[in-house]
Amino acid sequence: MTGVVTAVSSNGAYSFTKPNRDSIRVLAGLGVEGDVHAGVTVKHRSRMAQDPTQPNLRQVHLIHEELFTEVGADGFEVAPGELGENITTRGLDLLGLPVGTLLHIGDSAVLEVTGLRNPCRQIDRFQDGLLKQVVGRDEHGNVVRKAGIMSVVKEGGVVRPGDTIDVRLPEGPHRPLDRV
């Protein structure tokens, strides 16, 4: 199973969106070099308020480009980096990957999938009504989160648009993604 990186983004300041870059460097155990969410312990503001010593399971945020097409059909215009992701992908069912999946990106970067991004109200501040597009319920009433996945950096490296993503599933049984 392979996909491709279509955009990379980072921001050294707390901001909902992240500007696109020519490349980003991911650092083992930390996240995206220079990004406000990089670190061993949690950097998400609301989680820091709860317990700043929590491990950072949200070092690198990935979103599938196909989501932008999906919400575009309902009149929303979203471009890479605008939902705060670091890596935008194409050709992978990110949301269907199990916990512990390894994503080998480019020449040397390896990310381990930790869980789903939990969409928040900031998405509606970005575009009113968009939150309902990226979080909803399935036919059984279960919450469905579509705003991407979170990961930690196992091996560092440079990530660029056009890089191939090689997916390595963990040994079974597979555990489905939950919010982190």
Side-chain angles (χ1 to χ4, degrees), residues 27-38:
L27 306 172
L30 295 173
V32 177
E33 182 177 54
D35 192 82
V36 71
H37 291 102

Side-chain angles (χ1 to χ4, degrees), residues 101-155:
T101 298
L102 296 178
L103 305 174
H104 292 254
I105 306 175
D107 294 333
S108 60
V110 180
L111 307 180
E112 181 178 346
V113 176
T114 57
L116 295 169
R117 175 190 184 187
N118 191 32
C120 64
R121 288 179 293 191
Q122 288 187 53
I123 292 174
D124 268 349
R125 289 187 201 126
F126 171 66
Q127 286 187 41
D128 190 41
L130 184 57
L131 181 59
K132 286 185 179 179
Q133 299 293 312
V134 298
V135 65
R137 297 206 178 266
D138 66 14
E139 62 277 0
H140 304 291
N142 300 312
V143 174
V144 176
R145 295 171 178 87
K146 300 185 210 176
I149 64 171
M150 307 308 285
S151 64
V152 294
V153 182
K154 300 304 276 184
E155 295 181 32

Side-chain angles (χ1 to χ4, degrees), residues 10 18 28 30 47 60 62 76 85-86 102 112-113 119 126-128 136 140-141 152 157 164 174-175:
S10 68
K18 295 185 182 204
L30 295 173
R47 292 170 192 267
V60 182
L62 298 93
F76 296 92
E85 77 276 10
N86 300 110
L102 296 178
E112 181 178 346
V113 176
F126 171 66
Q127 286 187 41
D128 190 41
H140 304 291
V152 294
T164 299
H174 292 164
R175 209 173 55 174

